[in-house]
Amino acid sequence: MMLYIFVPLCALFTFSQQVTSAEKCVCELTNSEQAFPHDELSAVEDNASECNSEITARKTLELDSLLLGLDRRLPQLLEDVSMLEREDDQDLYGVLSLQVIENELKDIKQLMDKLNSTTMRDQHLTIGATKQLEEAKAEMQELEKYDTMQVVRRQEANMRLKRDLDQCKNGHNHIIQPTQPPRRNCPHGEFVNITGPRVYTAGEYPGSYKYGAWGRDPQPEVGKENWYWLVMMTASNRYSNYVRLYSSLSSIIVGVSVPGNVLIHSSNPTTNTIQGPNVVLFSGALYYNCYNQDAVCRFNLTSKTITTVKLPKGTRFNSKGNFCHLDECYPFTDLDLATDESGVWVIYTTTQDYGNLVLTKVEDDESPTLGQTWNTSVYKQGVTNTFMACGVLYATRYINKEMEEIFYSLDTVTGEEKFNLGIFLKKMSPNIYSLNYSPVDQMLHAYCDSFMVSYKVLFE
Ligand SMILES: *[C@@H]1O[C@H](CO)[C@@H](O)[C@H](O)[C@H]1NC(C)=O
Ligand SMILES: *[C@@H]1O[C@H](CO)[C@@H](O)[C@H](O)[C@H]1NC(C)=O
Ligand SMILES: *[C@@H]1O[C@H](CO)[C@@H](O)[C@H](O)[C@H]1NC(C)=O
Ligand SMILES: *[C@@H]1O[C@H](CO)[C@@H](O)[C@H](O)[C@H]1NC(C)=O
Ligand SMILES: *[C@@H]1O[C@H](CO)[C@@H](O)[C@H](O)[C@H]1NC(C)=O
């Protein structure tokens, strides 16, 4: 055993022992190896971390959102131009449409300019980063020579083995998977994962309003199919008195609100003011928690009328039943309104349910009414937000500043609850104050510390 330990040491050092006199014994140690260049290693480390901080996900995303904006905008233009061609009967009608197209072209030009400047910036960054990476790689290969004990090489081999093992395990799991659960009536199949962000923008008021919500109307009025809505908590981070509308995704990214605001009341706050960020627009009406009430308000953007439905007795409101993570609770998030393929839902908590999430369908009648209710066994304070997709309630929790996890689901058809979904959302900002699914384009819209972010929902 002793011998075994000493062999590698002896390979490194040469001992020479000599007796110089009867009393003195000198032991000379000669290191046959070169000294490890710590300074160079730490320089490479510094360079690598500098490179990391320069190339953030944000930068690639900016480009992605702009491209997506263009992607949506161009077919619209094409359609408008062909409509103009059909309409062109040499009179005023054509002139008016021409004006619309001119405006659209101006928007697209704006978008292209932004795209151009972003691309130029990114190009510089890429060239710089590639050079740095090459340098770092060469340096690391140089440093590997010092790995006489073969530590790094063995670690690499171990990693390869572990990867193979994982792959083997996964393949195995795949084979023994039980039969599929009963199919549900969803146009796109079952929710499996999320990718993105696909859109990431500071919008028209960069950094001004920390709390808010945005999205698309799942059941838009004719002619408003491409519109987006935005509600920001403009007073004390908790109240708002208007909905801001945008005619397309690119307008919301560039920050040009053409239809402008639809005002609920000139005062803020007052009766029927929007309280808290988790609002939704459905069928031309905004659903939200109204000021100082345990109730859902519906504001019809066309008729400007408000109808209200009271929630059950014991419903927590006025910031008493909020979404939370370990460090903080998100103020005035008592009521979370949600939309999916089947309409509007409200998620809240009550005293009799001991703070667990409760889900109720909101029926979209002449005035809104409450439909069926589901009790859950998930504690609201351990949840950061919820959304509905295809009749399934999903809840998220905070993992860290970069990551949120969709961990919980309740299927309203089967009543089944799951606590271990393990679907991760890559965040662009630490706090998600509202989250809402848009069945029109299967996007999940999030409003995070004043940024608008959206993810693509993948179905199977
Ligand atoms: C770190 O980066 C600088 C600037 O790109 C370069 O001059 C230097 O050689 C790099 N150092 C190492 C150890 O790669
Ligand atoms: C992009 O920007 C650069 C520098 O700002 C400019 O020289 C170039 O003409 C622009 N290209 C387009 C297509 O607008
Ligand atoms: C979801 O997608 C991410 C990449 O976008 C992937 O890393 C992850 O493994 C996927 N998760 C599941 C459960 O498929
Ligand atoms: C909103 O009001 C308009 C005009 O009165 C009406 O046609 C529409 O059905 C209303 N929408 C909702 C969701 O109640
Ligand atoms: C939910 O829980 C409450 C309080 O415990 C109870 O009164 C109610 O009947 C339950 N509702 C359903 C749908 O199970």
Side-chain angles (χ1 to χ4, degrees), residues 352-353 373-375:
Q352 58 271 25
D353 290 295
T373 288
W374 289 261
N375 292 338

Side-chain angles (χ1 to χ4, degrees), residues 291-346:
Y291 176 58
N292 198 26
Q293 282 189 68
D294 50 350
V296 172
C297 270
R298 184 180 73 189
F299 170 61
N300 184 325
L301 269 63
T302 312
S303 63
K304 312 268 181 0
T305 50
I306 293 164
T307 37
T308 302
V309 57
K310 216 166 166 54
L311 287 164
K313 203 160 173 295
T315 294
R316 293 181 175 167
F317 67 112
N318 279 347
S319 217
K320 300 221 173 57
N322 290 327
F323 288 128
C324 302
H325 61 83
L326 276 182
D327 296 335
E328 72 174 301
C329 287
Y330 297 154
F332 294 87
T333 53
D334 304 89
L335 263 58
D336 183 6
L337 278 300
T339 51
D340 73 350
E341 288 78 1
S342 58
V344 182
W345 304 78
V346 58

Side-chain angles (χ1 to χ4, degrees), residues 18-26:
Q18 15 177 219
V19 181
T20 46
S21 74
E23 301 91 38
K24 261 194 186 164
C25 175
V26 176

Side-chain angles (χ1 to χ4, degrees), residues 40 43-44 47 132 135-136 139:
E40 278 166 50
V44 175
N47 276 7
Q132 270 182 340
E135 278 169 11
E139 192 67 31

Side-chain angles (χ1 to χ4, degrees), residues 192-196 421-424 458:
V192 285
N193 205 351
I194 283 214
T195 61
L421 294 190
I423 298 169
F424 293 91
L458 303 177

